[in-house]
Amino acid sequence: MTRGGVVLWNPRSSLGRKPIVPLALLSIAAGIDWPWAIVDSNLVGDPVAALEAALRAFTGTRVLAVTVMPGPQLREALPVCREIKRRFPDVVVVWGGYFPTQHWEVVTRTAECVDVVARGHADRTFPALLAALEHGTDFGRIPGLAWRSAGSVRTSGRAEVPHPRDLPPLPLEAIDLAPYVRRTVLGERTLGYSSSYGCPFRCNFCAVVTMDSATWKAQSAEGVVAMLRALKARYDIDSVEFYDNNFFVSESRVAAIARGIADLGIRWWGEGRVDTLLKWSDETLALAARSGLHMIFLGAESGSAETLARMDKGGTLTPADTLALVARLDRFQIIPECSFVLGNPPDPEADLEGTLAFVRTVKSANPRTEIILYLYSPEPVPGELLSAAQERGFRYPDSVDAWLSPRWREFAQRRTAHSWLRPSLRTRLKEFERVLNAYHPTSTDPHLAGPMRVLLRGLAAWRWHGRIYRLPLELAFAQRMLRYQRPETSGF
Ligand code: B12
Ligand code: SF4
């Protein structure tokens, strides 16, 4: 076959706000020597027309490489790929990313428009697949792929997670990132960046384990600093969101990054673990804060020590640690953003109520703490939680089409009431959130001005203090009028 071109497609993902830089596709593009183009549905009106135009620009073997997260992206990816395959039967459609990595068997078996699935980080796998297509060799020997053959599903297993240190830098000269520079709580000109793959832990409710299986491989501090300097020079960014699953694994690396970017005048955000950060020295936290660290997303997960143990959080994380860290971060003017997973088996009701009460304690320990609440949505990670859910009848859909139903879309966004949760529990969570978000409006919504915050807080005060969460209709109305954006609907 002759070398043609690769169209890398990012289905719509940004849930109505300014799009987020498609790092997955840029990372893939960095390693390929075929001509390529990126189509981002977040930037174009009609994805089929845009993909068709992009594909027609190439001759020879053409590949449509699609990144797919569960939820809204999947909802667009499936019908559009079907239509593209109908119009261009010879185009090789490859899916990669979290959804096909986790559900590769169902995708390969039931999405007839997908020719090949890339399992896991495909920075090495994808170029090898292109070479095999070009030379007509058997791609079945390349680790990290799944495909259909003679009516059955085949896979070459998982590929080793590549080391970002050894990978080419993002192809900044080949693509204009200006449409992705956004206003956020961090600044007027924010871009996202990811400096590592994986996470050393294996929390059994977490999707990351399925992608990286407890490995953590990071770029050097020098590499990160060089990239931020390049983004500053090219796009005049004033802030960065680090999308690493666990940016704060290494204290010395973060300290070196902080020293290296201190003169850039950028604010930054990243995700980390409570127990890791508790062990850090005051010097490092102060250095990080001086370099612009504004907010840390923390997996606080639960107000119950037993649930934390059941989640296999690793180490000895306790709710007391969360309280200690949020109070400590306040001394450095770093805002903690605590994420919780509620409604965990075996007793979802008690679990939810216990953690809602704990959220109030966290708010007392540091009122600036941001709170993000999710319902437990099983990830395919073996462990006590998944087993308990399965015992209560939980099963993943057995076709990709079934994932498009409203129920499973909600599941993907971690807002669904599972069969083991009484519907009233979900209502309880929503009502609590309504009152919490009104009395403590998030600082992550840059459009919410000071007077609006005062108004919301005033309206909600009696409910918050009296613990009266039922039917907060007046707050729902006020939040709708102010177009309040809850942090978990805009988050990751
Ligand atoms: C940025 C981000 C977003 C952005 C979207 C970015 C975009 N592409 O448009 C926004 C904020 C919109 C978003 C939304 C959501 N996200 Co999100 N997001 C992330 C985050 C933080 C970083 C992703 C990233 O850029 N990583 C860096 C790149 C280089 O790595 P990568 O994406 O994994 O890509 C590699 C491989 O996956 C693979 N690959 C990926 N795509 C492709 C495509 C091809 C063709 C090939 C060959 C390979 C390949 O190779 C790449 C290079 O190694 C991840 C967590 C993380 N750190 O990965 C969560 C994460 C992916 N999101 C997650 C979730 C749950 C969501 C939401 C459903 C949340 C919600 N409550 O609504 C929504 C819905 C998504 C949607 N709208 O469809 C989960 C996924 C869980 C799961 N079971 O799949 C993650 C893992 C967070 C978490 N820890 O739970 N997200
Ligand atoms: S929850 Fe956090 S610490 Fe645990 S595996 Fe996921 S990313 Fe790592």
Side-chain angles (χ1 to χ4, degrees), residues 201-207 209 273 301 311-314 381:
F201 296 90
R202 298 192 58 94
C203 310
N204 61 24
F205 63 90
C206 176
V209 179
R273 277 179 66 102
E301 322 304 2
M311 286 173 165
D312 210 357
K313 270 303 283 184
V381 182

Side-chain angles (χ1 to χ4, degrees), residues 8-15 17 19-25 27-28 40 42 64-75 94-103 117-123 125-126 129 145 162 167 170 193-194 196-197 205-208 210-212 242-246 269 271 374 378-380 409 411-415 488-492:
L8 297 143
W9 178 37
N10 190 33
R12 190 177 301 279
S13 65
S14 284
L15 311 166
R17 54 177 197 167
I20 303 238
V21 54
L23 292 173
L25 297 183
S27 309
I28 296 299
D40 188 339
N42 298 295
L64 175 60
V66 191
T67 183
V68 191
M69 272 193 262
Q73 267 198 326
L74 175 64
R75 186 178 167 202
V94 183
W95 277 21
Y98 271 86
F99 180 75
T101 292
Q102 291 191 334
H103 302 287
V117 164
R119 298 177 58 189
H121 289 281
D123 312 61
T125 308
F126 190 67
L129 172 65
L145 296 175
L167 296 173
L170 300 185
Y193 184 61
S194 172
S196 62
Y197 286 161
F205 63 90
C206 176
V208 171
T210 60
M211 176 71 74
D212 303 287
F242 284 107
Y243 294 146
D244 305 53
N245 298 305
N246 197 342
W269 171 100
E271 305 195 11
Y374 290 117
E379 299 287 352
R409 282 208 321 266
F411 169 91
Q413 291 172 264
R414 298 169 181 162
R415 309 289 302 166
E488 62 276 24
T489 53
S490 60
F492 311 113

